[in-house]
Amino acid sequence: MPTMPAWAAHPMPARIRRAIAAVAIAAAVLTTAAGCDGPFSLPSSGAVQTLAPAEPRDRRIYTAPSGPSDGMTPEVVVEGFFDAMPAGVQSDGYRTARMFLAADAASWDGDVAAAVIIGEPRFTRRSSAVGGSHGSGESVVAVDVQVAGRLDRHGLYTVYDDVRDETLAYTLVMENGEWRIADLPAGVLISQTDFDQVYRQVTVQRTDAAHRTLIPDIRWLAWRDWYARAVRETLAAPPDRLGGAAADVAAGRVTLVDAACSIEGDITVTLSASFDDADDPAAPDALDDDTRALLVRLIRLTLADGDLDYETIRILADGGRDHSLDDVALTLGAAD
């Protein structure tokens, strides 16, 4: 199963050095944060626990990128947008990155894909024009990058055999007297240095057709809401790369309604009403008790990094019962 490669060391980009210097003191405090997605999710209660893997995954440096300032040139606007993309994945949902975009780019989706790049991007103004397709002055900035691999929308990572040189075009227009990006590639570009800071490695747990053997499905999910994404992927059909070995347990009958994380790190998962058969067990989407228990176990193991963790994870049906303990009698040898 592919995981992040051990790339050769590369010089740290200047903007990364600036960001680290700006938050060095805060980072020292935040390295022990235990919450789901927030920088201040510090544990306030509970017994000491040992979880696998032993190396913590939440030792992150939180950055607060700046938005655009007056008088930026097209190259500087695009560079500022690049600096803001990691925080979009990690914490702010692209709020700052969108400040660099024109109204015409409102449909840009940072979560549709991610390219992992090495080295420093090179920003070059390719052309400027008085008029253009957007009805005002335009400028095109070419960004040369080296791409080592890509993530898709579901967090599946594809490693390239060789680093690929790519040139991306960003078209800027004037809005209210300032340059803003009007046309750009979908998805984000994340440096090798930033990757572990903004994505969380999650093992989505699946089973074989006999529901006896656990099958790991490695994903890289945005830190800001990894737990909700992890539940959705657990409920979704297995990816083709598992070669049909994993069963589609939910089979499209259950969806995520909500996933919330408290500041203490407790997670409450609310699933669609079809997860609860108390009112109409004969409904087409109703689950039998064994299937419901198995889904509870898979969600629990996925969210707790392989630990059953009955203390901090609750699983509910929308408008129905608490199913958090439905799997207590489940026998699944590989998980115990």
Side-chain angles (χ1 to χ4, degrees), residues 34-38 40-44 261-266:
C36 295
D37 63 345
F40 307 110
S41 299
L42 299 175
S44 61
C261 180
S262 71
I263 195 169
E264 292 83 9
D266 297 345

Side-chain angles (χ1 to χ4, degrees), residues 237-262:
D240 292 341
R241 67 170 62 186
L242 293 182
D248 185 359
V249 178
R253 295 173 292 176
V254 181
T255 58
L256 177 67
V257 174
D258 185 48
C261 180
S262 71

Side-chain angles (χ1 to χ4, degrees), residues 267-291:
I267 302 176
T268 299
V269 175
T270 303
L271 303 174
S272 57
S274 57
F275 194 69
D276 189 347
D277 69 350
D279 296 330
D280 187 7
D285 289 338
L287 305 177
D288 58 57
D289 291 343
D290 291 341
T291 301

Side-chain angles (χ1 to χ4, degrees), residues 108-242:
W108 175 78
D109 183 359
D111 290 332
V112 70
V116 181
I117 62 175
I118 61 175
E120 281 273 21
R122 186 161 58 90
F123 303 89
T124 307
R125 192 185 312 193
R126 178 182 292 171
S127 62
S128 296
V130 175
S133 59
H134 294 273
S136 62
E138 289 185 1
S139 183
V140 177
V141 174
V143 183
D144 295 309
V145 294
Q146 292 183 303
V147 181
R150 276 190 163 82
L151 285 175
D152 70 8
R153 179 184 289 277
H154 303 286
L156 290 166
Y157 186 69
T158 300
V159 182
Y160 294 153
D161 292 335
D162 297 302
V163 172
R164 300 180 181 180
D165 293 325
E166 298 186 13
T167 299
L168 309 173
Y170 291 76
T171 300
L172 294 88
V173 298
M174 294 293 290
E175 281 193 353
N176 301 317
E178 300 292 341
W179 289 108
R180 294 294 179 263
I181 302 168
D183 190 27
L184 71 164
V188 296
L189 288 95
I190 300 295
S191 73
Q192 172 191 343
T193 306
D194 284 333
F195 190 90
D196 287 327
Q197 301 294 323
V198 303
Y199 288 100
R200 187 185 198 275
Q201 182 181 337
V202 177
T203 301
V204 174
Q205 297 289 351
R206 304 191 182 277
T207 68
D208 63 348
H211 297 169
R212 295 175 182 171
T213 303
L214 285 171
I215 298 174
D217 180 4
I218 306 298
R219 307 295 181 96
W220 293 87
L221 306 176
W223 259 110
R224 71 177 189 275
D225 59 354
W226 69 267
Y227 46 91
R229 294 167 186 263
V231 174
R232 290 192 186 97
E233 296 305 326
T234 304
L235 298 174
D240 292 341
R241 67 170 62 186
L242 293 182

